Amino acid sequence: MKATATGLLVFVAIVYVLAKWAQNSGFGPWTGYVAAAAEAGMVGAMADWFAVTALFRHPLGLPIPHTAIIPTKKDQLGASLGEFVGENFLSEDVVRRRLRAVGIGARLGDWLAEPANADRVTAELSTALRGALTVLRDSDVQAVVGEAITRRADAAEIAPGIGKTLDKIVADGGHRKVVDLVCVRAHDWLVLHSDQVMDAVQGGAPGWTPRFVDKKVGERVYKELLRFVTEMRDMPEHPARGAIDRFLTDFASDLQSDTDTRMRVERLKSEVLGRGEVQDIIASAWSSVRQMIVAAAEDERSELRLRVRAGLLSLGARLSSDARLQNKVEGWVEDVAVHVVNTYRREITSLITDTVAGWDAEQTTQKIEAHIGRDLQFIRINGTVVGALVGLLIYTLTHALGA
């Protein structure tokens, strides 16, 4: 294109020389019109050559002011381009308008409603979850979990909560099954260990009492104890059961209102949490949870993955048909995008500015000229043609008015 534009300039110059020669040789008045057109075409071609060349370098190597604009103003051009992008592409109104026009909510709903896409998202989420759990070190997570549970347990007083729970259990009669179980187990134990019970009673008797008396006493105590336990097992309205009910009710009240009881429970809680065995149990809970999650994530038929898939399909169906949900999702997306744009606009535009500033001036000139130079050469061609036409028009009007 440079050769074409330059060739056109040479052509009009030759035409001008021939036209002037013909004019001086008396070939007729038409030679003046041709010479005027060729002269103006040369002027237009030279002027546009100067303008195009001045963008990239100094014409003829002369340091004429306001030439070699791109290499000398490269950094300013980069800054201006960054500001232009920030003002016209990264403004809040533009971002919201473009995102709203996309219709993200409806598109996302239609996409998620497809079972194949829901399966794909579920698989990707499972892979990401496994990766995250693999990266995390068990020792670090166990330390965090143990500290969090211990700190939370220390900060919260448990006695009132236990008291309310116990009060409700007693009021609903939920403790009676426990009492029944204890009575049954106690009765069975007494039946199986009658000799041991009687021996224990006889062993506590004074040394001066006769042996047969100790035996009788032991048998009597065992029988009474067995009768008491049997009656408690078989009689729901046994007085001892009522005494247990009253004890538990009073204890539940003390847990909620008695300061001394609450302090004792807190001390017991601290002692239990401080034991190494308890801390090991808390820390080891993470390993069990992690193994369970990883196994569920790897199994395509696990309850976890099936629930996630069903949830995605349900979400997709709702997004496809629920305009309110679509607007809500689109609002969230817009708010996130606007927040990112407003927060990081300077960093985004500085990427353009810093990238342009880091380019070599000569290489930048060559890159730009290689991309837009072809179109710029049309400016030279058009300048030659337009200049010739304007020159011809001026010459014609001048002679017409002069005549």
Side-chain angles (χ1 to χ4, degrees):
M1 291 305 299
K2 282 183 177 181
T4 301
T6 304
L8 186 58
L9 171 60
V10 173
F11 173 75
V12 294
I14 294 174
V15 170
Y16 173 75
V17 172
L18 294 175
K20 293 301 290 183
W21 173 79
Q23 185 179 20
N24 294 331
S25 300
F27 276 79
W30 61 270
T31 56
Y33 291 92
V34 175
E39 182 179 11
M42 288 190 295
V43 173
M46 291 301 298
D48 286 340
W49 167 82
F50 182 90
V52 171
T53 303
L55 288 173
F56 303 102
R57 58 188 59 85
H58 296 295
L60 302 176
L62 302 175
I64 302 172
H66 305 292
T67 59
I69 294 174
I70 290 178
T72 57
K73 300 291 184 179
K74 173 178 64 70
D75 295 345
Q76 292 89 327
L77 291 174
S80 299
L81 179 60
E83 293 177 1
F84 176 79
V85 172
E87 294 175 359
N88 295 277
F89 294 91
L90 301 179
S91 64
E92 180 175 345
D93 293 339
V94 172
V95 171
R96 288 190 181 276
R97 185 168 61 252
R98 294 300 301 170
L99 289 177
R100 182 66 62 176
V102 171
I104 294 176
R107 291 191 178 188
L108 178 61
D110 294 339
W111 191 82
L112 283 178
E114 295 292 334
N117 296 330
D119 291 338
R120 178 180 176 184
V121 174
T122 302
E124 294 295 338
L125 290 176
S126 300
T127 302
L129 180 59
R130 292 197 305 271
L133 293 177
T134 302
V135 171
L136 292 174
R137 293 194 302 178
D138 286 348
S139 58
D140 295 338
V141 179
Q142 288 171 356
V144 172
V145 172
E147 182 182 358
I149 294 177
T150 303
R151 184 172 62 250
R152 187 174 181 83
D154 285 336
E157 186 179 0
I158 64 172
I162 295 176
K164 291 180 181 179
T165 303
L166 180 60
D167 195 12
K168 183 172 179 57
I169 291 174
V170 174
D172 295 339
H175 68 293
R176 291 172 185 168
K177 292 184 178 180
V178 178
V179 175
D180 292 341
L181 177 62
V182 172
C183 291
V184 170
R185 298 292 295 175
H187 176 272
D188 295 342
W189 187 87
L190 287 173
V191 172
L192 293 174
H193 301 85
S194 57
D195 295 338
Q196 297 179 15
V197 174
M198 288 186 289
D199 291 342
V201 175
Q202 296 175 25
W208 48 269
T209 57
R211 299 288 298 174
F212 74 92
V213 173
D214 295 342
K215 183 177 181 181
K216 289 292 184 181
V217 171
E219 292 176 353
R220 182 67 178 177
V221 170
Y222 172 75
K223 290 180 180 180
E224 289 298 323
L225 184 61
L226 182 62
R227 180 184 62 80
F228 176 78
V229 173
T230 303
E231 290 177 353
M232 280 193 66
R233 183 194 64 180
D234 299 335
M235 297 173 57
E237 303 300 328
H238 193 276
R241 286 177 175 264
I244 293 175
D245 292 348
R246 291 189 296 274
F247 166 76
L248 293 176
T249 301
D250 294 339
F251 184 55
S253 177
D254 291 341
L255 285 172
Q256 299 178 66
S257 58
D258 184 66
T259 303
D260 184 58
T261 303
R262 291 166 62 175
M263 291 179 61
R264 290 181 179 179
V265 171
E266 288 302 308
R267 285 196 296 270
L268 177 62
K269 178 192 72 176
S270 299
E271 292 175 0
V272 171
L273 288 176
R275 295 185 65 85
E277 297 87 346
V278 175
Q279 291 296 319
D280 291 340
I281 293 174
I282 295 175
S284 63
W286 163 248
S287 298
S288 301
V289 172
R290 185 179 66 82
Q291 293 175 2
M292 179 182 65
I293 295 175
V294 170
E298 292 176 347
D299 184 6
E300 294 183 358
R301 308 306 301 172
S302 67
E303 187 68 19
L304 175 63
R305 292 188 61 162
L306 291 177
R307 285 182 177 272
V308 171
R309 181 182 184 275
L312 290 173
L313 289 172
S314 175
L315 176 61
R318 287 189 59 195
L319 273 174
S320 299
S321 58
D322 191 340
R324 290 184 57 189
L325 183 59
Q326 291 175 10
N327 292 332
K328 187 174 294 186
V329 171
E330 290 172 0
W332 292 338
V333 174
E334 291 174 17
D335 291 340
V336 171
V338 168
H339 173 73
V340 172
V341 167
N342 290 335
T343 304
Y344 301 102
R345 179 187 289 112
R346 184 177 298 276
E347 286 77 3
I348 296 173
T349 56
S350 67
L351 175 64
I352 299 173
T353 304
D354 296 342
T355 301
V356 175
W359 289 347
D360 179 74
E362 184 176 354
Q363 291 181 352
T364 302
T365 301
Q366 293 174 354
K367 288 181 180 180
I368 297 176
E369 189 174 14
H371 282 83
I372 66 174
R374 179 181 178 85
D375 295 325
L376 292 178
Q377 298 308 313
F378 278 108
I379 295 177
R380 295 177 57 190
I381 295 173
N382 293 336
T384 305
V385 176
V386 172
L389 294 175
V390 171
L392 178 60
L393 178 61
I394 294 174
Y395 185 85
T396 302
L397 292 175
T398 301
H399 280 267
L401 293 177

